[in-house]
Amino acid sequence: MLYEITIPQHIKMLKNLSAILDKSAQYAEAKKFEMEVLLQARLAPDQFNLVKQIQITCDTAKLCAARLTGIDAPVHPDTEKSLPELRARIASVVSFLETLTAKDFLESEGRRISQPRWEGKYLTGEEFAFQHAIPNFYFHMATAYSILRHNGVDVGKKDYLGKMPFKS
């Protein structure tokens, strides 16, 4: 179950984020300003900028998978400064996620998951996915989208949600 509610959706949303970034680059080019302006944008003075929102979105997806499966995630040193570097990070995380299968998650629901900032406390894999990883992923994904939308990039809900598996 945890595979189905995390990995396919994280892959889809990261690909949507990459497409939204493509629209952002087109917007910056059309308006004749450097993409760096958007990459450094933030919604509030005490919030992270777009670059950091993208980094955390990627980290949340890869670390969710790693912590639930016990498989090592790729390491990214948070040095991205340009759109091509951010695209490469997203692609790296998507590639990692695409290597995982439902079989990798067989023991994940009861796995004890902790982080240093939790000071010795832990969550079960199921609690971690539902209470931390999934909400955190969407928080940073939506914030990245909102930074771009706030700055005039022509993106909407369809861009955020991506293609839907509609049936006829």
Side-chain angles (χ1 to χ4, degrees):
M1 170 191 68
L2 292 181
Y3 170 85
E4 290 80 6
I5 65 165
T6 58
I7 302 307
Q9 199 60 26
H10 285 165
I11 290 169
K12 176 187 176 185
M13 295 304 290
L14 287 169
K15 288 179 178 181
N16 294 351
L17 179 57
S18 191
I20 289 168
L21 288 173
D22 291 343
K23 281 190 156 189
S24 302
Q26 294 165 3
Y27 176 75
E29 186 178 322
K31 294 290 185 179
K32 302 196 183 330
F33 65 85
E34 296 296 320
M35 183 66 191
E36 171 73 12
V37 172
L38 293 176
L39 296 178
Q40 293 307 315
R42 59 186 76 223
L43 291 177
D46 65 344
Q47 242 183 351
F48 291 130
N49 64 19
L50 179 62
V51 169
K52 191 68 174 173
Q53 299 294 343
I54 294 167
Q55 291 168 339
I56 295 172
T57 302
C58 289
D59 286 351
T60 302
K62 73 182 183 183
L63 293 175
C64 171
R67 289 179 176 135
L68 288 172
T69 64
I71 296 171
D72 290 335
V75 175
H76 299 98
D78 292 345
T79 56
E80 297 87 3
K81 291 181 173 58
S82 69
L83 186 57
E85 291 170 333
L86 289 167
R87 283 185 183 134
R89 183 175 182 140
I90 293 168
S92 168
V93 173
V94 167
S95 291
F96 166 66
L97 296 176
E98 288 175 336
T99 68
L100 302 172
T101 67
K103 197 172 194 177
D104 295 316
F105 286 75
L106 289 178
E107 305 292 324
S108 63
E109 289 180 18
R111 183 183 293 270
R112 290 173 62 134
I113 298 175
S114 187
Q115 298 180 36
R117 70 175 184 260
W118 292 354
E119 301 173 344
K121 297 175 186 150
Y122 73 93
L123 297 170
T124 65
E126 183 174 26
E127 292 166 336
F128 171 74
F130 285 109
Q131 302 294 321
H132 179 75
I134 294 169
N136 195 52
F137 176 83
Y138 285 106
F139 174 84
H140 291 285
M141 176 73 190
T143 303
Y145 164 88
S146 296
I147 288 169
L148 295 169
R149 173 83 181 196
H150 175 76
N151 280 280
V153 177
D154 186 21
V155 291
K157 188 183 282 190
K158 287 182 180 181
D159 297 295
Y160 180 84
L161 293 176
K163 293 181 180 173
M164 303 295 283
F166 291 119
K167 313 292 185 276
S168 317

